[in-house]
Amino acid sequence: VFAGKVVVREEARERVLASASELGYVVNGLARSMMGVGRQTMALVVAEMVGPSFAELAAAAEAVATREGLLLMLLTSHGDPAREASLITTLREQRAAGVILVGSARNAAEADERIVGYRDAMEQVGARLVLCGRPAPFEREDVDAVDYDHEGGVHEATRHLLDLGHTKIAFLGYDPGFTMQASRFSGYTRALSERGAEIDDELVVVAANTTEAAQKALHDLLERRPDVTAVVCLTDVIAVGAYRALRARGLRMPEDVSIVGFDDAPFVADLTPPLTTIRAPFAELGRRAAALALGLVTASEHDILGTELIVRGSTARVRSTRR
Amino acid sequence: VFAGKVVVREEARERVLASASELGYVVNGLARSMMGVGRQTMALVVAEMVGPSFAELAAAAEAVATREGLLLMLLTSHGDPAREASLITTLREQRAAGVILVGSARNAAEADERIVGYRDAMEQVGARLVLCGRPAPFEREDVDAVDYDHEGGVHEATRHLLDLGHTKIAFLGYDPGFTMQASRFSGYTRALSERGAEIDDELVVVAANTTEAAQKALHDLLERRPDVTAVVCLTDVIAVGAYRALRARGLRMPEDVSIVGFDDAPFVADLTPPLTTIRAPFAELGRRAAALALGLVTASEHDILGTELIVRGSTARVRSTRR
DNA sequence: TTGTATGCGTTATCAA
DNA sequence: TTGATAACGCATACAA
């Protein structure tokens, strides 16, 4: 009766259902899926459960999982390769239908090899691995990935600043060791190069993705280089750190310094001034990644979703003189 | 070898491990936990994956799940009782070790009965149910719950405003149909009563928990009652809506109107002015709920965690005249 | 220390 | 339509 595959007399079915509800019986999903009837779970692995992007993406992925009758497992790797590997093992043991690895990854051949290993391991238990928000390793066509246009987004933002007359444009949050950081940075360099501008290494500053780290990093930069009139921030979190640093130094936005962020986090439109930022389609990203992970669609090519520059009050035309 | 219970010769164990890694074999966790060896998952059910509180709480719960070797399933109910019931059934089928129901619940006897039913249903398959961020139904001692002091938090915030000389204090986000809304509101009424102030019904305004709804609600209130000098907001999201409404009307904060929120969401300290708000220990909440759900601790009584008023720039002494 | 049998709650198959 | 039985991959107990 519960399997639903076999034809049963109506009266018998009702008798079974009645006893079941009387006894509080429910099918043992573990035994059921052990018979290969179908997986019951899929997984989403993120470095940390932070940021708006994470919630939006997870919610979208869960929605498609639910539609397919699956539960969504949410795991964190804390950016630790060992923990990541152990999660993959556990998910294999659990016979998850698919796993989505989301977020920036280490930008190294060794990391790429790990990913391919994970993919093969999952495949061995009949599950899919899909990358989300990061490029496929070695640009391999045989690893499913859905990403958004980090490079294009920052390129558009940087060009926006160039169009406003800025020339001393800093990049805050540089870290070539990670894919996301590297590709966003390359959007910055491309925009500058297209205008024939040199990359001023001093204006490219490393900062961890926290408000505090960003604040300190920009503070230090402005000590050395008070001529900066605009800063491209890796993320909105970093942009908020930039706001704090500028405010602490008595500089006005956007009159003295223009700021652009990335993510369009909640509330950044309510800052003073409202943050100009880049919006990525996180919900769509989660949907596609989940659909890929469950084999509902097949990746025609590597999907790269577009981003959108949202111009608000934190960017303005450069002023010829400062102070 | 994999069960680890039996003593095996070292050479044999190595031979097994070698073959396993060669074949890519991993234990079938489904079959294993079917033997009652131990559950492998626990679940966290929220209405929506929004808000900072959610991420912080989920991360903390996942940390203790991980420590116990379990995976965390994250499910959304969208506030729909039918979906909630269906999730409970699925989790019973999956033999989850425990489930945490988090967030505001409907404030009705019928809802309480549902919860007790869920608890019994989970118990039947040897799993625990724990409520988080909402009170136990009917104040039943036999339903595990860990909550924080909604009432006390808002009471402290309201008294803070009273101490600053405010008398026309509005409450934004009223909705007696839900536990969280009701208990936060009662903190407001208690603070007023303690000072011998009447509750002015016109100053108590309904608003859904979105920035847009709050903005419109406060706008409408100020049309009718321009004498309001302070507003207690159900959440930070609503407080941001209040900021917008005030700004749109050309009112200054805190000179013309003081605002307090609830949650201490990211970035609210970076608004202009920085938001005075109430911080609840979401991480601790998640930790305790998870520990309870896994039976690591037993609830001595119903845990009510304390909150903390964080005074920032959005509240100030009332001015005798406006404009 | 190792091999063998039994049972767990399903699905699937085949006979009645 | 229904009942009996094998098989799934494991844990457990017991014998070798």
Side-chain angles (χ1 to χ4, degrees):
Chain A
V1 167
F2 285 96
K5 294 265 179 186
V6 173
V7 202
V8 185
R9 186 157 42 96
E10 187 51 30
E11 182 264 336
R13 125 176 286 108
E14 279 174 8
R15 215 142 42 92
V16 169
L17 259 28
S19 315
S21 90
E22 182 182 349
L23 272 54
Y25 166 89
V26 283
V27 177
N28 186 323
L30 272 35
R32 171 175 274 178
S33 67
M34 204 184 85
M35 292 304 297
V37 178
R39 310 293 175 80
Q40 321 246 17
T41 57
M42 63 172 295
L44 189 72
V45 181
V46 298
E48 306 293 342
M49 294 189 202
V50 290
S53 39
F54 146 72
E56 200 174 335
L57 196 145
E62 200 240 7
V64 352
T66 297
R67 182 153 28 85
E68 299 301 311
L70 303 187
L71 300 179
L72 200 251
M73 327 201 64
L74 189 55
L75 296 333
T76 55
S77 68
H78 303 299
D80 174 12
R83 174 154 167 72
E84 205 169 66
S86 125
L87 284 177
I88 293 288
T89 300
T90 308
L91 291 171
R92 279 179 1 121
E93 291 181 3
Q94 285 295 304
R95 301 297 190 262
V99 16
I100 305 172
L101 253 39
V102 11
S104 193
R106 279 195 175 67
N107 205 359
E110 170 259 333
D112 279 8
E113 273 154 25
R114 267 209 316 275
I115 297 293
V116 174
Y118 295 159
R119 202 278 313 273
D120 293 343
M122 292 310 302
E123 203 164 65
Q124 208 165 28
V125 294
R128 284 191 173 75
L129 178 78
V130 4
L131 271 23
C132 183
R134 62 167 91 173
F138 312 123
E139 300 296 326
R140 280 179 66 148
E141 293 294 331
D142 63 338
V143 176
D144 284 345
V146 36
D147 203 351
Y148 55 97
D149 194 2
H150 302 273
E151 200 270 353
V154 173
H155 176 262
E156 187 180 359
T158 307
R159 205 170 46 185
H160 166 62
L161 292 171
L162 289 165
D163 288 344
L164 291 171
H166 293 275
T167 53
K168 308 294 186 183
I169 305 175
F171 185 92
L172 189 55
Y174 177 68
D175 185 345
F178 289 85
T179 58
M180 184 262 264
Q181 283 81 341
S183 56
R184 291 190 183 179
F185 177 66
S186 68
Y188 164 83
T189 56
R190 178 162 66 91
L192 290 181
S193 307
E194 283 171 359
R195 295 294 165 95
E198 291 281 302
I199 306 300
D200 184 341
D201 287 342
E202 218 183 4
L203 296 186
V204 176
V205 358
V206 173
N209 189 22
T210 67
T211 301
E212 292 71 20
Q215 177 176 1
K216 174 158 180 18
L218 183 55
H219 169 86
D220 292 349
L221 172 64
L222 291 173
E223 278 309 307
R224 299 192 306 273
R225 294 292 299 268
D227 58 327
V228 167
T229 65
V231 12
V232 175
C233 300
L234 182 75
T235 64
D236 284 357
V237 168
I238 284 187
V240 170
Y243 272 50
R244 291 189 190 169
L246 292 171
R247 198 153 281 152
R249 297 178 70 85
L251 294 173
R252 293 163 305 161
M253 297 164 282
E255 294 82 359
D256 296 324
V257 179
S258 287
I259 301 281
V260 304
F262 201 122
D263 280 345
D264 195 26
F267 301 167
V268 297
D270 292 280
L271 296 174
T272 307
L275 181 64
T276 293
T277 190
I278 299 151
R279 170 141 192 81
F282 294 112
E284 179 63 17
L285 213 62
R287 261 192 298 276
R288 291 211 195 181
L292 235 37
L294 299 181
L296 304 176
V297 299
T298 64
S300 44
E301 76 280 19
H302 288 153
D303 288 329
I304 308 282
L305 306 185
T307 59
E308 182 190 359
L309 176 68
I310 300 177
V311 176
R312 291 198 272 244
S314 67
T315 46
R317 180 153 289 282
V318 71
R319 302 200 316 168
S320 35
T321 60
R322 168 108 127 275
R323 244 154 280 172
Chain B
V1 167
F2 284 96
K5 294 265 180 186
V6 174
V7 202
V8 185
R9 186 156 44 96
E10 187 50 32
E11 182 264 336
R13 125 176 285 107
E14 278 173 9
R15 213 143 43 93
V16 170
L17 259 29
S19 315
S21 89
E22 182 183 348
L23 271 54
Y25 166 89
V26 282
V27 176
N28 186 325
L30 271 35
R32 169 175 277 182
S33 66
M34 204 184 85
M35 293 303 297
V37 179
R39 309 294 174 77
Q40 322 246 16
T41 57
M42 63 172 294
L44 188 73
V45 181
V46 298
E48 306 292 342
M49 293 188 202
V50 291
S53 38
F54 145 72
E56 200 175 336
L57 196 146
E62 199 240 7
V64 354
T66 297
R67 181 151 30 86
E68 298 301 310
L70 303 187
L71 300 180
L72 199 250
M73 328 202 62
L74 189 54
L75 294 335
T76 56
S77 67
H78 302 298
D80 175 11
R83 175 154 166 71
E84 204 168 69
S86 124
L87 284 176
I88 293 289
T89 300
T90 308
L91 291 171
R92 282 187 346 128
E93 291 181 4
Q94 284 297 305
R95 301 296 190 263
V99 16
I100 304 173
L101 254 38
V102 11
S104 194
R106 279 195 176 68
N107 204 359
E110 169 259 333
D112 279 8
E113 273 155 28
R114 268 209 316 275
I115 297 295
V116 174
Y118 295 160
R119 201 277 314 270
D120 293 343
M122 293 309 303
E123 203 163 66
Q124 208 165 29
V125 295
R128 284 192 173 74
L129 178 77
V130 3
L131 272 22
C132 183
R134 60 167 91 172
F138 312 122
E139 300 296 328
R140 281 179 65 147
E141 292 294 330
D142 63 338
V143 176
D144 284 345
V146 36
D147 203 352
Y148 55 98
D149 194 3
H150 303 275
E151 200 268 353
V154 173
H155 175 264
E156 186 179 0
T158 308
R159 205 171 45 185
H160 166 63
L161 292 171
L162 288 165
D163 288 343
L164 291 172
H166 292 276
T167 53
K168 309 294 186 181
I169 305 175
F171 185 92
L172 190 55
Y174 178 67
D175 185 345
F178 289 86
T179 57
M180 183 261 265
Q181 284 81 341
S183 56
R184 291 191 184 179
F185 176 66
S186 68
Y188 164 82
T189 57
R190 178 161 66 92
L192 291 180
S193 307
E194 284 171 358
R195 295 293 166 97
E198 290 280 301
I199 307 300
D200 184 342
D201 287 342
E202 219 183 3
L203 296 186
V204 176
V205 357
V206 172
N209 189 22
T210 67
T211 301
E212 292 73 20
Q215 177 176 2
K216 174 160 180 12
L218 183 55
H219 169 86
D220 293 349
L221 172 64
L222 292 173
E223 278 309 306
R224 301 193 305 274
R225 294 294 299 268
D227 58 326
V228 168
T229 64
V231 11
V232 175
C233 299
L234 182 75
T235 64
D236 285 356
V237 168
I238 285 188
V240 170
Y243 271 51
R244 290 188 190 171
L246 292 171
R247 199 153 279 151
R249 296 179 71 85
L251 293 174
R252 293 163 306 162
M253 297 164 282
E255 292 82 358
D256 297 323
V257 179
S258 287
I259 300 281
V260 304
F262 200 123
D263 280 345
D264 194 26
F267 301 168
V268 297
D270 293 281
L271 295 174
T272 307
L275 180 64
T276 293
T277 191
I278 299 150
R279 170 140 193 82
F282 294 113
E284 180 62 17
L285 213 61
R287 261 191 299 276
R288 290 212 196 180
L292 234 36
L294 299 181
L296 303 176
V297 299
T298 65
S300 44
E301 75 280 20
H302 289 153
D303 289 328
I304 308 281
L305 306 185
T307 58
E308 182 190 0
L309 176 69
I310 300 177
V311 177
R312 291 198 271 244
S314 67
T315 46
R317 181 152 287 282
V318 71
R319 302 202 316 168
S320 36
T321 60
R322 168 108 127 272
R323 243 154 282 168

